[in-house]
Amino acid sequence: MARVYVGGVGLTKVGRHFDKGLIDLAAEAAFKAIDEAGVEPEALVVGNMMSSSLQHQDNLGAYIANGIGLRGIPAFKVEAACGSGGAAVHAAFNMVKSGVYNAVLVVGVEKMTDYPTAVVTEALAQAADAEYELFYGASFTGLNALMMRYYMEKYQVSRREMSYWPVMMHKNAVANPYAQIRREIKLEDVERSQVVADPIRLLDSSPIGDGAAAVLLVSENIASKLTEKPVVEVAGSAMATDTVELSNRESLDAMPAAAQAAKKAYKMAGVEPRDIDVIEIHDAFTINAIILLEELGFAPRGQAAKQLAEGRFAPGDKPTANPSGGLKARGHPVGATGVYQVAEIVMQLRGDFPGVKVDKAEIGLTANIGGDGSSLIIHVLRRV
Amino acid sequence: MRLSPAQIWRTRIPRYRLLGKECKKCGRRHYPPRPACPYCGSRELVEVELPRTGVIESFTVIYTVMEGFKDRAPLIIATVKLDDGTRVVAPITDAEPEDVRTGMRVEAVLRRIRDDGSYGLIGYGTAFRPTILVHKTS
């Protein structure tokens, strides 16, 4: 089967871009990726969750493609809630791997700051089951809070142990020029921050922000002509799903779809967890990161928070977790996040990430969650 | 969330009477009812009215509520493990946030859940309340 490479990447800073619409944000990221590769895309896949519920904009593939000067090319949107970006990369990966396309642009884009928090909270809750969860007022944060309380009680994990993750994320983000929040916080700040949905506090949660990220996936014959920067291969790309409704999950302390997708991606890439130097994982809430570290094989069940409290996964450790600052501090423009993660890992492997660098990183992983564990997209990237 | 008369009608039995399904192949029950077993994929299912009592498995108190719930905040949402082991996600009612505990026994009650202001529709559903009344000491 054909191999798939990353020809170029582009990011916008995550933040409150009141002066930019979906097309403006997409253009900023897409132009960087296209110019870096010097290759014209043959197709566009857009990763986005809420253009329909917030911007009242559908038909997003054609809207973005023709809005950014790619008139006429095939284009469509991929939606998997907060996993939309990762799912878009997965779709584009398969388009290039199949041999049908040689250059597919992925743009993840989301605008969340046009409306007040209560409106955005309802739009985000559409990731859950509309008739049996959203109907009852179970917000997305609320559903994750159900998982967090269950996890903490089952494994006797303290509030203090959970607080190390957001502190590390904020520290990592300080050096990242694309991050939404570049400010260090203390453990006490997390524990004193406002309760959003008990036990989730404000500083356990990713902020609301706008942003766009782009990656240009190319075939081997195009990649072989790229000489400007080291080339990164998408060595593994896999997705798995679970029930959208929390009621029919096997357990509240697990995300089996993560383990399922990771197993496939590891096999495709021929790697094991211990080979991986750097990871960018989905931490919309602290509990997501904790469960992912366990499902992906980096920590035993019930131990991830305790290991973080002992300093594990910090810069210098293998793997280093979320040198970007993660969703917590880099920000989480939901449908763009999965593309941010892939672009950040590509830059880490090339050695040109402008924030916390992971020295001599050769293999990286991204884990993007849609819903509270119902869509899981894993990518393994390797420096060639 | 816009409510629709057809959707309220379609979901009334599962929402009001906790109608779930039991798989004839693997024996497991699930809620809300699906056309195939979420655990084993079998299409051989029978409808079953689930027990109306159970225990709180996990819960949250939501302070940042979504549109339509501002006058009801804070909102208590729980996963309830019914007496047959089936899990449901539902609001906890007739209790203060500080009284709610995991492991607490609860029973199902019919409650007004949300209104659609623009169309005047009212959505009813199942909430759970503690089986023993909790009295405030202060």
Side-chain angles (χ1 to χ4, degrees):
Chain A
M1 277 271 256
R3 288 168 171 254
V4 181
Y5 301 85
V6 181
V9 302
L11 300 176
T12 73
K13 179 179 162 59
V14 184
R16 292 175 179 157
H17 296 291
F18 296 120
D19 56 334
K20 293 189 181 93
L22 286 169
I23 287 179
D24 307 313
L25 288 166
E28 194 179 321
F31 292 167
K32 284 183 198 169
I34 294 169
D35 294 349
E36 191 177 85
V39 175
E40 280 299 309
E42 296 167 359
L44 169 71
V45 183
V46 178
N48 170 272
M49 174 182 177
M50 306 191 292
S51 73
S52 190
S53 55
L54 290 182
Q55 278 79 40
H56 309 287
Q57 182 65 61
D58 284 314
N59 206 0
L60 211 63
Y63 181 71
I64 300 290
N66 291 267
I68 64 172
L70 301 173
R71 195 179 184 101
I73 66 164
F76 52 85
K77 160 173 160 173
V78 168
E79 187 274 313
C82 322
S84 300
V89 175
H90 181 59
F93 169 85
N94 287 316
M95 289 165 75
V96 176
K97 194 151 184 84
S98 70
V100 176
Y101 295 95
N102 288 300
V104 178
L105 179 67
V106 185
V107 177
V109 60
E110 200 77 59
K111 261 210 79 67
M112 303 171 70
T113 64
D114 280 350
Y115 298 94
T117 302
V119 175
V120 178
T121 301
E122 185 175 31
L124 285 169
Q126 291 186 198
D129 185 293
E131 291 182 341
Y132 291 90
E133 291 175 339
L134 195 160
F135 171 78
Y136 285 104
S139 67
F140 196 57
T141 315
L143 293 166
N144 280 281
L146 293 170
M147 298 178 79
M148 182 167 172
R149 181 185 304 278
Y150 185 82
Y151 179 95
M152 290 173 73
E153 290 188 357
K154 179 165 177 182
Y155 298 107
Q156 295 294 302
V157 175
S158 67
R159 170 66 257 186
R160 176 50 56 101
E161 286 165 330
M162 296 302 274
S163 302
Y164 283 87
W165 177 267
V167 168
M168 185 170 95
M169 291 302 99
H170 275 256
K171 194 172 178 189
N172 287 354
V174 172
N176 180 1
Y178 300 112
Q180 181 168 6
I181 305 174
R182 300 174 66 182
R183 176 172 60 84
E184 284 199 51
I185 56 168
K186 297 190 184 76
L187 294 165
E188 297 77 31
D189 297 328
V190 182
E191 291 151 16
R192 279 189 216 126
S193 64
Q194 181 194 332
V195 179
V196 180
D198 184 44
I200 292 181
R201 289 175 178 267
L202 188 67
L203 288 177
D204 285 309
S205 322
S206 50
I208 288 171
D210 310 324
V215 296
L216 185 61
L217 300 188
V218 296
S219 61
E220 191 154 19
N221 63 343
I222 291 185
S224 62
K225 290 171 197 138
L226 300 173
T227 50
E228 284 276 308
K229 288 187 170 171
V231 174
V232 170
E233 182 187 4
V234 185
S237 175
M239 180 170 182
T241 60
D242 201 345
T243 64
V244 165
E245 70 283 5
L246 215 49
S247 58
N248 291 325
R249 294 282 174 80
E250 288 287 356
S251 175
L252 298 184
D253 63 333
M255 287 188 184
Q260 242 177 295
K263 195 177 164 195
K264 265 199 251 177
Y266 290 156
K267 197 177 167 204
M268 276 176 94
V271 301
E272 289 183 40
R274 65 165 180 271
D275 303 324
I276 295 167
D277 301 300
V278 53
I279 61 178
E280 285 286 343
I281 63 169
H282 195 103
D283 57 327
F285 304 101
T286 301
I287 185 64
N288 299 149
I290 303 299
I291 293 179
L292 274 182
L293 287 170
E294 297 172 6
E295 293 287 5
L296 300 175
F298 298 117
R301 185 84 68 193
Q303 294 301 309
K306 294 176 193 295
Q307 292 193 353
L308 281 157
E310 290 159 6
R312 188 85 170 94
F313 306 113
D317 196 11
K318 182 176 175 176
T320 298
N322 294 11
S324 72
L327 285 62
K328 176 67 208 76
R330 174 241 291 125
H332 182 28
V334 286
T337 291
V339 189
Y340 270 91
Q341 294 176 322
V342 171
E344 285 155 356
I345 292 290
V346 168
M347 288 191 276
Q348 288 289 358
L349 302 181
R350 297 192 310 204
D352 61 0
F353 183 70
V356 169
K357 282 188 177 61
V358 178
D359 274 346
K360 295 181 187 126
E362 285 182 16
I363 300 171
L365 169 141
T366 64
N368 188 197
I369 307 176
D372 41 30
S374 41
S375 294
L376 253 302
I377 308 96
I378 308 285
H379 284 96
V380 175
L381 298 127
R382 184 193 284 123
R383 180 153 47 96
V384 179
Chain B
M1 177 184 207
R2 264 178 254 159
L3 297 181
S4 121
Q7 193 207 54
I8 285 176
W9 171 79
R10 185 170 71 238
T11 53
R12 70 199 184 285
I13 309 294
R15 274 190 192 155
Y16 305 166
R17 293 222 313 256
L18 285 181
L19 185 84
K21 281 188 182 173
E22 186 175 300
C23 179
K24 283 166 116 175
K25 205 169 155 199
C26 74
R28 293 184 72 172
R29 291 178 171 189
H30 69 269
Y31 180 88
R34 302 295 193 206
C37 175
Y39 299 105
C40 77
S42 166
R43 297 175 207 166
E44 285 181 61
L45 306 165
V46 285
E47 290 186 339
V48 54
E49 257 189 61
L50 302 171
R52 297 184 71 81
T53 51
V55 295
I56 293 179
E57 177 193 31
S58 187
F59 71 94
T60 179
V61 185
I62 304 176
Y63 294 91
T64 304
V65 294
M66 63 178 94
E67 276 294 281
F69 285 90
K70 276 187 182 163
D71 54 348
R72 290 163 197 246
L75 200 65
I76 311 170
I77 299 283
T79 57
V80 174
K81 277 277 197 179
L82 302 175
D83 290 342
D84 65 352
T86 313
R87 184 193 293 121
V88 297
V89 175
I92 299 298
T93 189
D94 302 354
E96 295 300 320
E98 57 271 25
D99 298 327
V100 179
R101 300 277 181 278
T102 53
M104 182 182 246
R105 275 200 73 73
V106 289
E107 62 188 6
V109 284
L110 186 72
R111 282 288 188 271
R112 181 176 183 150
I113 302 297
R114 60 152 78 213
D115 306 342
D116 185 331
S118 46
Y119 298 97
L121 287 167
I122 299 168
Y124 293 90
T126 297
F128 285 80
R129 70 177 175 202
T131 51
I132 299 167
L133 276 179
V134 183
H135 293 287
K136 295 205 95 170
T137 48
S138 58

